[in-house]
Amino acid sequence: MTTEIWQLSESELLADAAAVSHRIQLLEARRIALVADIDTRVSREKLGFPGPAGWLTSTTLLSPSKANKIVALARGMKNFPDIADAVNTAVMTVDHAALILTFAETPPKNLPQEGRDVARKALIAAATGPEARTGRIRAAITRLVDTFGGKKPPAEDTDRNELFASKTLNGRLVLKGDFDAITGEKLLTALSPLTEPRPAADGTETPKVGDDRSPAKRRADAFGHILDRYLASNNRPTEGGEKPHVNLHIRLQDLQSQNNSDITDDETTRAAAEPDTDPVAADRSAYRDLFGDGTSVGWLPWMGPLSRNTSRQLACDCLLTAIVMDENGNPLNLARTARTVTAKQKRALTARDHGCAFPGCGKPAAWTEGHHIWHWADGGPTDMNNLVLLCGFHHRLIHHSGWEVFIAADQHPWFIPPATVDPYRQPRQSHARAGPHIA
């Protein structure tokens, strides 16, 4: 029988925590080994995804970045058994293994093979045991790269350039970049005239009455201004048949209920209806349907839900195409007869599916295609009730496997797995409607 934590002595607490940490490391190593075999032995049709990372994300609580890291380790450690041994015996953390594996897979250009082996062994030794420090390992790798990385000095090496964009749990976007000197100079030059403090109305610039924004806040505002200018320009590449622009999905009644602005759309406003609703009952309904499709007032295809006030502000500041939703959160059927999904239909499908609708996928709408459930060649129309957004991989999977998709009575897509995936072939909701976690 396991002793309750509160009953443990101080020495037992320390020993138990250390033992649990060791077991966790062993389990992490076991998971990496299992994923390595899944990657080589389980078919993509059985997984339902292009690789194990998507399957891990859809069936566990792992984030996509964590799942991708596990798959990268599983694939990489096959070629470096010394790194794998250190992980499997729990003498080195998975994070340090990932750091050393990245160096081993992409060593400095001018580092000879013998030097690569010696350096890798030294890095593994430095990462072994409780005395391992990430800073020392990174410093050693940086020194090797600076010494053997090529003729270009680090400040001029564009191969090092990276820009990470991570969406946080609270709906914000965190950027982290590493640029060469020339790219950095371009960025700072573009930001400079936009980051000057704004004076007060009387021309003063003291913190109390003038621009009291911090330098970081002024740079962030300037960066947003540069994005506004770019999206307003005509010299932009197309994506999904359209020039990139910000789309806002919002129920027309939510805007009109507190905003008397005239929002019109040639096909949707004719069907817009304002049902009489008891405010108290509406509030109770919102709590009952907390994770339903109809409770988010605004929705951005990349960033997700948006508050009512910000949605109304954005609707005032941009050209708005209002897509009227029914009680199930579906845009009206646009009833087109052309084979190709129009830009307007793509916007409506994005409002309904939010991205790739395949359960557990959810790739951004910009990376998806409109799939005819009843194939066009067989007489299927290009109507909303015959279309679903799918990424390239899942579009091919639906066409060439036992997976099936249909539009149910709620006017949303549902997916039926083949018997090889689920012997009972239980229908699964689309990704956007599957709730906080797909079991």
Side-chain angles (χ1 to χ4, degrees):
M1 182 176 178
T2 304
T3 305
E4 294 291 339
I5 293 177
W6 65 269
Q7 294 177 309
L8 297 175
S9 66
E10 292 180 351
S11 298
E12 290 171 332
L13 278 172
L14 295 173
D16 204 8
V20 168
S21 298
H22 182 72
R23 289 199 296 271
I24 289 173
Q25 291 173 353
L26 291 174
L27 287 172
E28 283 187 326
R30 173 73 172 174
R31 179 168 60 185
I32 292 171
L34 290 170
V35 169
D37 264 30
I38 290 173
D39 192 31
T40 56
R41 291 171 50 192
V42 181
S43 69
R44 298 302 178 252
E45 180 179 338
K46 179 81 171 180
L47 282 176
F49 290 90
W55 175 82
L56 273 172
T57 302
S58 69
T59 55
T60 71
L61 293 173
L62 291 173
S63 64
S65 60
K66 180 66 175 178
N68 283 322
K69 183 177 180 180
I70 291 171
V71 174
L73 282 166
R75 291 172 177 171
M77 289 196 304
K78 291 181 178 179
N79 301 320
F80 299 96
D82 48 357
I83 299 177
D85 288 342
V87 172
N88 292 334
T89 55
V91 297
M92 181 170 65
T93 67
V94 170
D95 290 334
H96 284 161
L99 189 62
I100 298 173
L101 182 62
T102 300
F103 169 82
E105 290 181 325
T106 56
K109 299 175 183 178
N110 298 325
L111 182 62
Q113 184 60 54
E114 180 182 356
R116 297 177 187 183
D117 296 337
V118 171
R120 189 177 68 255
K121 292 178 181 178
L123 290 171
I124 292 173
T128 299
E131 298 300 319
R133 296 293 181 268
T134 304
R136 292 182 59 220
I137 300 169
R138 288 187 180 277
I141 292 175
T142 300
R143 181 177 297 177
L144 287 166
V145 172
D146 288 346
T147 304
F148 300 100
K151 296 181 180 180
K152 285 186 178 181
E156 300 171 19
D157 189 358
T158 57
D159 290 339
R160 291 186 175 197
N161 288 3
E162 293 179 317
L163 179 62
F164 299 95
S166 303
K167 190 169 69 171
T168 66
L169 290 176
N170 62 355
R172 296 184 63 82
L173 187 71
V174 175
L175 298 178
K176 179 182 178 182
D178 182 4
F179 302 110
D180 64 280
I182 296 176
T183 303
E185 185 72 12
K186 292 177 183 177
L187 177 60
L188 295 176
T189 300
L191 290 174
S192 179
L194 301 172
T195 55
E196 296 178 357
R198 293 194 293 259
D202 61 358
T204 60
E205 296 186 10
T206 59
K208 293 297 183 183
V209 296
D211 192 344
D212 59 355
R213 296 175 300 162
S214 67
K217 179 65 167 65
R218 295 203 305 270
R219 285 193 295 271
D221 292 344
F223 188 65
H225 188 65
I226 291 173
L227 295 178
D228 288 338
R229 288 184 178 181
Y230 168 74
L231 292 174
S233 69
N234 292 323
N235 187 22
R236 290 173 290 149
T238 60
E239 184 177 49
E242 290 188 295
K243 291 185 180 298
H245 61 281
V246 175
N247 284 301
L248 170 68
H249 305 151
I250 184 170
R251 296 184 304 177
L252 185 61
Q253 57 266 37
D254 287 327
L255 281 176
Q256 291 183 332
S257 62
Q258 299 186 30
N259 187 352
N260 294 324
S261 60
D262 182 19
I263 301 171
T264 60
D265 181 75
D266 59 347
E267 293 187 68
T268 59
T269 52
R270 291 195 298 269
E274 290 284 351
D276 294 330
T277 306
D278 176 10
V280 177
D283 288 343
R284 287 198 300 266
S285 175
Y287 282 109
R288 285 198 303 268
D289 191 25
L290 191 59
F291 293 102
D293 290 318
T295 60
S296 293
V297 174
W299 187 273
L300 298 172
W302 285 99
M303 295 299 296
L306 205 63
S307 71
R308 180 188 301 271
N309 288 338
T310 303
S311 296
R312 290 204 303 270
Q313 175 186 339
L314 184 59
C316 292
D317 292 343
C318 69
L319 179 62
L320 176 67
T321 300
I323 303 174
V324 178
M325 305 291 185
D326 63 15
E327 65 277 6
N328 292 313
N330 281 294
L332 292 178
N333 191 338
L334 301 183
R336 293 292 188 234
T337 57
R339 182 182 189 277
T340 305
V341 174
T342 67
K344 193 169 188 177
Q345 285 177 304
K346 181 66 178 291
R347 289 195 294 268
L349 286 168
T350 301
R352 185 193 70 189
D353 297 342
H354 296 173
C356 179
F358 191 89
C361 183
K363 280 189 170 57
W367 301 351
T368 61
E369 307 159 347
H371 165 69
H372 288 76
I373 298 173
W374 175 18
H375 298 323
W376 172 266
D378 297 331
T382 308
D383 291 346
M384 285 293 294
N385 60 6
N386 192 46
L387 294 170
V388 59
L389 286 185
L390 296 173
C391 67
F393 174 82
H394 287 118
H395 200 168
R396 293 187 294 273
L397 183 71
I398 293 294
H399 274 285
H400 302 292
S401 73
W403 281 89
E404 299 175 14
V405 59
F406 67 97
I407 302 296
D410 61 0
Q411 296 302 307
H412 284 273
W414 286 70
F415 294 78
I416 302 177
T420 54
V421 175
D422 178 8
Y424 301 101
R425 306 202 69 194
Q426 291 293 322
R428 303 181 182 185
Q429 289 182 311
S430 61
H431 179 80
R433 287 170 57 83
H437 172 61
I438 300 175

